[in-house]
Amino acid sequence: MKRGPQKPQAAGAPDAVLQELRPGQSVELLQELHILTREGRLNQDSRRKLKQVYHLFQFIEALLRELPGEGEGATLADHGAGKSYLGFIIYDLFYKARAGGRIYGIETRAELVESSRALAVRLGFERMAFLNVQAADAADAPGMPERIDVVTALHACDTATDDAIDFALRKDARAIAIVPCCQAEVAACLRSAKAQSLARTPLAELWRHPLHTREFGSQLTNVLRCLYLEACGYEVTVTELVGWEHSMKNELILARRKGAGRHSAARRMQAILAEFGLEALLGRRYPRAAELLG
């Protein structure tokens, strides 16, 4: 494989650290990402970060291997890529050994996009592209293919997760893997109508206190996302990413496209939104479900 300009060989890692890495993992890459120190050591914060990425990679690898040719030639979009830890590690462990396929990192901060582009060149990761674009605009961005096989988002904050789902639907993604973060939109809607809700239903006690409003809003947001994906023809699984001691933002939503949209899921969405006074979200946040309902 053709590689860009090479740096001096990176220092190795101690045997105890190597045992924590996935087989085939590049020590040089982890040092470039500052997950490992230049001496090849791993601090507690980096160990937590790496554990999260490795766990998510296991799920994504399974989704990729379910594609034709066991993922040979698969396209993947990483929303809210940040420093692209996830994208680089997926490329290193899965794409590097294959002749085809491409990863697209989507990030709003220009300096992170530029540093990721430079790192991809240094490492010879030729089938990685990085786009400096808002998540909501990514589907129409220049250089983005018409279809994407797998869409992932690790801790895309609040409605950026919904933008990633919308992107996946527009790109007819075969599979989706998202770890939501900091869901605030639904909580804000619940908060604004709290007095009316308390007068209308005893269920409003579930979000009467501010802490409960935040947590219940987060739970409700993810339930609605799962129903929306089902309404759009996906089979959905919800699980933990890692143990709660490693991250409080720990819910992993996996979706595999199975067929036509499901009216029953759209109707359940509509009923839940009505129950909690959130009807205005249907057309704005879940347009395909609104279409199914006519």
Side-chain angles (χ1 to χ4, degrees):
M1 176 184 293
K2 183 181 177 182
R3 294 173 62 91
Q6 296 296 295
K7 296 178 64 177
Q9 181 65 36
D15 289 344
V17 171
L18 290 174
Q19 290 175 6
E20 297 188 53
L21 305 185
R22 296 268 306 199
Q25 176 74 76
S26 165
V27 171
E28 179 187 5
L29 169 63
L30 296 185
Q31 289 173 321
E32 289 278 8
L33 293 174
H34 304 292
I35 292 175
L36 294 182
T37 66
R38 298 313 300 174
E39 294 75 32
R41 301 195 179 278
L42 189 64
N43 65 36
Q44 194 57 39
D45 183 61
S46 294
R47 181 174 280 108
R48 262 196 313 272
K49 185 181 300 178
L50 188 61
K51 185 178 181 70
Q52 288 183 58
V53 172
Y54 275 171
H55 272 266
L56 185 52
F57 170 74
Q58 288 181 312
F59 289 103
I60 293 171
E61 181 184 30
L63 295 174
L64 288 166
R65 289 188 180 278
E66 292 171 9
L67 299 175
E70 291 200 339
E72 185 73 36
T75 51
L76 181 145
D78 177 20
H79 270 260
K83 296 180 180 179
S84 295
Y85 296 115
L86 178 62
F88 277 114
I89 287 174
I90 293 172
Y91 192 99
D92 191 42
L93 295 177
F94 189 86
Y95 281 80
K96 191 168 67 175
R98 289 165 170 77
R102 196 167 183 85
I103 292 179
Y104 298 85
I106 298 164
E107 173 55 46
T108 60
R109 289 165 288 182
E111 69 278 11
L112 296 184
V113 171
E114 289 304 316
S115 64
S116 293
R117 288 171 177 165
L119 179 55
V121 170
R122 289 201 301 273
L123 295 172
F125 287 10
E126 298 171 337
R127 288 173 285 117
M128 293 190 79
F130 301 92
L131 288 78
N132 179 206
V133 64
Q134 296 289 333
D137 302 324
D140 298 318
M144 184 65 66
E146 184 177 349
R147 295 184 65 178
I148 293 286
D149 293 305
V150 178
V151 174
T152 187
L154 175 57
H155 297 158
C157 200
D158 195 20
T159 59
T161 294
D162 299 294
D163 292 333
I165 291 172
D166 180 66
F167 172 92
L169 297 176
R170 292 181 63 186
K171 293 300 183 182
D172 199 24
R174 296 171 183 264
I176 303 167
I178 55 176
V179 180
C181 183
C182 303
Q183 301 91 311
E185 184 182 47
V186 167
C189 294
L190 292 172
R191 193 177 299 114
S192 67
K194 190 177 294 185
Q196 298 95 309
S197 297
L198 283 166
R200 181 175 59 88
T201 172
L203 285 176
E205 291 295 333
L206 292 171
W207 68 92
R208 179 162 65 91
H209 298 286
L211 176 62
H212 293 162
T213 305
R214 186 186 70 196
E215 296 302 317
F216 183 71
S218 177
Q219 173 78 357
L220 185 54
T221 299
N222 287 337
V223 168
L224 289 167
R225 285 167 174 162
C226 292
L227 281 171
Y228 187 43
L229 288 167
E230 290 178 0
C232 293
Y234 287 81
E235 179 183 86
V236 177
T237 302
V238 182
T239 187
E240 292 180 359
L241 177 60
V242 290
W244 292 105
E245 70 274 15
H246 296 287
S247 174
M248 293 302 291
K249 306 299 182 182
N250 198 36
E251 185 170 339
L252 171 61
I253 299 173
L254 299 170
R256 295 169 171 86
R257 195 181 69 231
K258 292 298 182 181
R262 295 169 55 187
H263 287 77
S264 59
R267 287 194 295 271
R268 290 198 299 276
M269 277 193 71
Q270 186 179 42
I272 289 173
L273 290 167
E275 181 67 33
F276 296 107
L278 301 171
E279 296 94 333
L281 289 179
L282 182 62
R284 182 171 81 243
R285 192 59 64 195
Y286 312 110
R288 296 196 180 204
E291 291 174 10
L292 277 175
L293 294 166

